[in-house]
Amino acid sequence: MGRPFGVPYSLDQAHAHLREAVVALGFPDIMVGCPDAFGSCLAKLDETGADVVAAGFPAEHPQAVDMLEMAADGRVERFVIKPQVTALTHTWPLAVWTPAFSDFMHGFLNDKTEPVDANRDLQVGHVFNAAIEAGLDVRAEIVSDRPFVDIGSPSGLARFRQHRHRLLSQ
């Protein structure tokens, strides 16, 4: 790829093909048990004219995810990346965005000369934070009252195997 590591750089590889498209991002190792999460986020995108809408889920392990610091109207004020301690309650496992955010991310990544955190790869949450600072409208839509399951971890996969019927019917 010739670029630094991290999901944003992988996403940006498709920029030329997605420049005019609304993008829906989901991670392949996340089971959400919420069949219309993307639909809810797309509806919120249309309703508000936001640039990004992240699907909000209760966080089971806040220290392992990006937590959403939200205003009462659903605007995301900040993505708190893997906090060790937090009073925040929701995270995001999927999001939708407009071409305005795709263009912002492309420019942000091409202008980036220093890592956000030398100990970690650049996260999508870091790019969302930069977009918020640049004035883009980033929102969250709470789509579930139950946490998602990360089957990319051994404990998450074991939990999913044991409770798959209940988890998928939520």
Side-chain angles (χ1 to χ4, degrees):
M1 187 166 84
R3 303 289 310 268
F5 296 106
V7 172
Y9 293 101
S10 297
L11 293 170
D12 192 51
Q13 294 298 300
H15 181 259
H17 305 287
L18 300 174
R19 292 187 63 168
E20 303 301 319
V22 170
V23 174
L25 170 67
F27 296 93
D29 58 350
I30 302 294
M31 302 302 294
V32 296
C34 181
D36 200 31
F38 280 116
S40 296
C41 289
L42 289 166
K44 182 62 75 173
L45 195 73
D46 287 341
E47 172 192 324
T48 63
D51 299 300
V52 176
V53 176
F57 282 74
E60 199 166 43
H61 303 288
Q63 68 280 5
V65 295
D66 298 355
M67 299 299 292
L68 300 170
E69 188 175 302
M70 298 178 288
D73 68 356
R75 288 183 195 272
V76 178
E77 296 172 340
R78 184 169 62 120
F79 288 75
V80 181
I81 314 295
K82 299 179 181 179
Q84 291 304 302
V85 177
T86 185
L88 300 173
T89 59
H90 286 79
T91 185
W92 70 280
L94 56 91
V96 298
W97 61 74
T98 66
F101 178 75
S102 291
D103 286 343
F104 173 83
M105 181 168 57
H106 183 69
F108 175 79
L109 295 174
N110 283 319
D111 292 344
K112 189 132 207 54
T113 57
E114 296 180 19
V116 172
D117 181 339
N119 297 318
R120 293 191 256 184
D121 289 343
L122 185 71
Q123 305 291 313
V124 177
H126 291 124
V127 184
F128 286 157
N129 281 337
I132 292 166
E133 290 174 18
L136 271 70
D137 186 355
V138 178
R139 304 213 177 207
E141 175 72 356
I142 305 303
V143 298
S144 179
D145 60 356
R146 297 180 187 235
F148 61 80
V149 179
D150 179 357
I151 63 171
S153 69
S155 63
L157 182 57
R159 182 172 158 232
F160 178 75
R161 284 182 173 160
Q162 184 177 14
H163 303 286
R164 94 182 78 202
H165 297 295
R166 184 179 55 81
L167 293 169
L168 291 177
S169 65
Q170 296 174 5

